[in-house]
Amino acid sequence: MIPAPRWRKVLRDVLRNPTRTLLVVLSIAVGVIAVAIVMGAYGIIAADLPNAFDATNPAHANIRMQPFADDLVDVVGRMDGVADAAGRRVVSVQARVPDPEGPPGATTWQDLQLLVIDDFDDQRINIVRPESGAWPPDKGEMLVERASMAALGAVEGEPLTIKLANDDERALKVVGQAHDMNEVSLAITGLASGYITPDTLEKLGLDRRYNEMLIRVAENADQRSHNEEIARAVADKVEKGGYTVFRTSVPRPGEHFLEQFLSPMLLILGALGVLSLLLSSFLLVNIITALLAQQTRQIGVMKTVGASAGQLTRMYLASVALFGALALAIALPLGTLLMNALLAFVARLMNFNVVTNRLPLPVVAVLIVIAMGVPVIAALGPILRGTRVTVREAISDFGAGSTVFGRSRIDQALESIRFLSRPQLISLRNTFRRKGRLILTLTTLILASAIFISVFSVRASLFRTMDDAFAYWNYEVRLNFARAYRAEHLAAVALEVPGVRAAEAWGLRNVYRVRPDDTESDNIRLIAPQPDTKLLNPTLLEGRWLLPTDEDAVVINTDLLDDEPDLRVGDRMVLNVDGRDVAWTIVGLVRSVMAGPYAYTNYPYFARMVRQVGQADILNVALEDQSPAAQTAMALELERVFEAQGMRVVGTETTAAQRDQVGDQYGILIAFLALMALLLAIVGGLGLSGTMSINVLERRREIGIMRSIGASTPAIMRIIIFEGVLIGAMGWILGALLALPLSRILSDAVGEGFIHSTLTWTYSLGGAAFWLLVMAGVAALSSFVPARQAASLTVREVLAYE
Amino acid sequence: MFWSRSNGAGSPISTNGVAHAAPHAPRLIDLRHVVKNYATAAGAYTALRGIDLGVDAGEFVAVVGKSGSGKSTLSNMITGIDRPTSGEVLVGGVAVQQLTEGQIAVWRGRTVGVVFQFFQLLPTLTVVENIMLPMDFCNTFNEHRHARRERALFLLSQVDMQMHADKLPTALSGGQQQRIAIARALANDPPIVVADEPTGNLDSHTADAVFHLFEQLVAAGKTILMVTHDDDLARRATRTITIADGEIISDRPNYAPHAVVDDDVDDAILLGDEELRLA
Ligand SMILES: Nc1ncnc2c1ncn2[C@@H]1O[C@H](COP(=O)(O)OP(=O)(O)OP(=O)(O)O)[C@@H](O)[C@H]1O
Ligand SMILES: [Mg+2]
């Protein structure tokens, strides 16, 4: 059926001004897209990740212990509360990989854990799935976790050289890839994973027995405390059987370890998404207000022929809903596209397969409500006001006086300005003519500017914090030795090497905390620097640093505090070191940088405790040249020197490499934030161009008059562009100021969410300058287009009565 | 009937068959002591100073006066576009000043057709759609799917504009647009048509043709109040009211406007309208 004339009018008004329609539709679309990306990605991750994760039958508890065999697995499997148990062996080795920073052909060692799987086709817990190539691997062959392929430089069908703990080097043929969601992603830990059969293990000359017990809890497995209880019962039982338990870990049940990292990120992104939606509705208010002002006469005529205010309100609301529907038509496909890009990114980071690639239906429903509802709500005020005008006000040449220039104090101040040229004065006064519109446009620009600059500031703050944090590792290369050597000798050898500034032998152990209720924590690195160490510059947050006279004192870092939130400076804490429980006093708290939980203690006490007095297996070396290239080169050189003296080096680490790794993790966050800042920048740009095009549209008559009294095309364009640039400049200045507090809030939130301490706040002047350039471009462009359009109108066209 | 195909959907007051009301009958338009003050920067300004005016069904009233004398203000009182500061405006027995803004819109849509000086056709609607719009708003002439369009085309044929039915208004001349505006004013078959300087923007020849349309309307039983600056045209109405400074200073009938009716019949025959001959 042909719609009634009034609905035809609605439709044609929307179509008649394609520029305006496009602006409105785009600005709604950008807001909806932002929400779609975040909500869609969140919805899909929330649905797919637990599904994918659950499908691997993840262990509810993981017990590392002395070697054991199937008989113990059976015993544990039959225990009350245990649904299933499995044993497996995990072997830490190193793999020879091409060195990306060294000269061509150079190699370096990459940490690799080999997981031994009894029967690849009958796995019950922490299930590893085939990805490509052969399955299962034969004797002498291995599969590589798909996310580890690149780091290992592995190629299917090619051999990989591995180095065992006893320094034997062996070759294993990589025959395929596996997918294992239960191993912490390489992107986060830098640890690669490979999979072999027990036969291969035997061939490597290693003990066939298990060293890790995986447990599935029977009931209430979603309660971590219950799982901890069961794990403790199992540990007690096996210890009674004469096995030493090294470590028990009970992960958050049913939750992938990266989920907690994802939540704060999505929260921040969500907030930005909602903000861009809000700002895009400002533009809508401006455009609808202008549209109604433009159609006042038509409203009057329609009322004269019998239209009620209600009918008119419905008509204009319908056109807004139409804008919303058009925006939705853009936002759904584009939002899906961008969401999938985001998902691909997250999936790579978290090493899981995203099954869903469409916006979940509930999200689509929400988006429909948002796309139609937010514009309708935003436009309701202007529409109600616009359709309530009386016919007399609408038809007469009197009335509509509130927007006439010259009434307010700002106007009077502007009238008193004398130093500008006449056309510049027109620009200046025009800028302030529609104050409501100016306020909304400025708000959009200010917020977009502030957030853009804040994102850059968060980035600067993150890197500054990282610099600070890495500055406390005042050394560049760490050498790990196969066994303990005399500490003084290690340092002396290193100091002989040209380019070495300082060298200290330290102690290091992986330990765990035994809590007052006998449960155990995850791994903690216990680091024992020399008492008067020059190689550490800790950032103390609480308490004090170690004194040379301290004995059983430890300083903990914020990551440890986050894992074990009951710890306080001054408390006692029990750490299990080499199988023995030792009590310590916490004397201080230092900031960490996503380095994991650390505790520091004095070397002499540590050495006595681990019965290696005067000896150490770690050497930290400070270099004169601290460039990444020099660090890599010196690591090789030092390794060579020590090997030449018969001291075996099992691994080297450089702070440059570590820094890259941490930087990559921040990079992900920054990339997301930048994406959102970009969306906001688009909203800001649309807001400004929207305002400029309505300004020009409204002033067509005036422009015609100026033309008829002799204004040239460039003169008219200058007047309009000057106005756009003026608004842009105000937006930038105020936004740059607002970024001062805002960037601080954002960097605190990011710090709290990601490294559990505040960042060292830095205002990014570079970001502000960059945004100034963007803004100048946007302002010039968004006023240039309407200006040129205006200047191309003939006098007859603009003065002709509609 | 001529002009109207009224079937009850139209006005609350039917003019069908009423040619000239008896003097003692209640008046169709009745203004009593109407005063209108405007608040201006220089204080209150009185645009109408106690107007008393009665108009009977079938009259053709011309309102003349100098610019600023209050002609438009007076016509706005009758159309309900503006409200009196004091006094009463009774149109067809309805006290217009007592209706709410929303009630006025509905009442006006069915009772008073308004014609403006600047035709005021909606630019995004075609000619025929412009005429259908009042029926759409007032929900009239909906007995079948094509009723509105048929009526709109009929009205267009009455103003000799049917060949422009599907054009946009901007493609037409001022005189053509004004004819269409008149057709639109008649869309809901209102008994009264109020026109504020409908010929003010037209050349004398076109103005004459448009005026002629009004004469035909009167002949068909409509009541017309027309504001004009053109004394020659005013004399062709049945009655001329002169306003100065917000007061009626003269109100007199015009004689021998009847030759016009004959013209009417000729024109109508030219148009080939059968109903017209019945008039
Ligand atoms: N909204 C208003 N506010 C203030 N004064 C008004 C308003 N509307 C009309 N007036 C004043 O009332 C007086 C009558 O105005 P009106 O429009 O009725 O004159 P008019 O006779 O129609 O004149 P014209 O022939 O120029 O159309 C004028 O002096 C006008 O200035
Ligand atoms: Mg007037």
Side-chain angles (χ1 to χ4, degrees), chain B residues 122-138:
Chain B
L122 298 188
T124 50
L125 291 181
T126 63
V127 164
V128 71
E129 286 164 354
N130 261 286
I131 298 171
M132 288 160 72
L133 191 63
M135 309 178 218
D136 183 18
F137 281 130
C138 295

Side-chain angles (χ1 to χ4, degrees), chain A residues 67-90:
Chain A
F68 60 96
D70 281 325
D71 50 348
L72 187 68
V73 177
D74 290 343
V75 170
V76 170
R78 279 195 302 271
M79 280 178 65
D80 276 352
V82 174
D84 198 3
R88 73 172 184 185
R89 182 160 191 96
V90 182

Side-chain angles (χ1 to χ4, degrees), chain A residues 392-393 396-399, chain B residues 36-41 43 45-48 63-76 82 117 196-197 227-229 243 246:
Chain A
R392 192 185 58 77
E393 284 165 346
S396 82
D397 299 319
F398 296 89
Chain B
K36 179 65 188 178
N37 293 327
Y38 285 118
T40 65
Y45 177 85
T46 306
L48 297 178
V63 179
V64 295
K66 285 201 287 255
S67 181
S69 56
K71 305 183 295 293
S72 295
T73 309
L74 176 64
S75 82
N76 285 350
D82 207 348
Q117 178 179 3
D196 191 349
E197 298 188 45
V227 175
T228 182
H229 271 127
I243 295 190

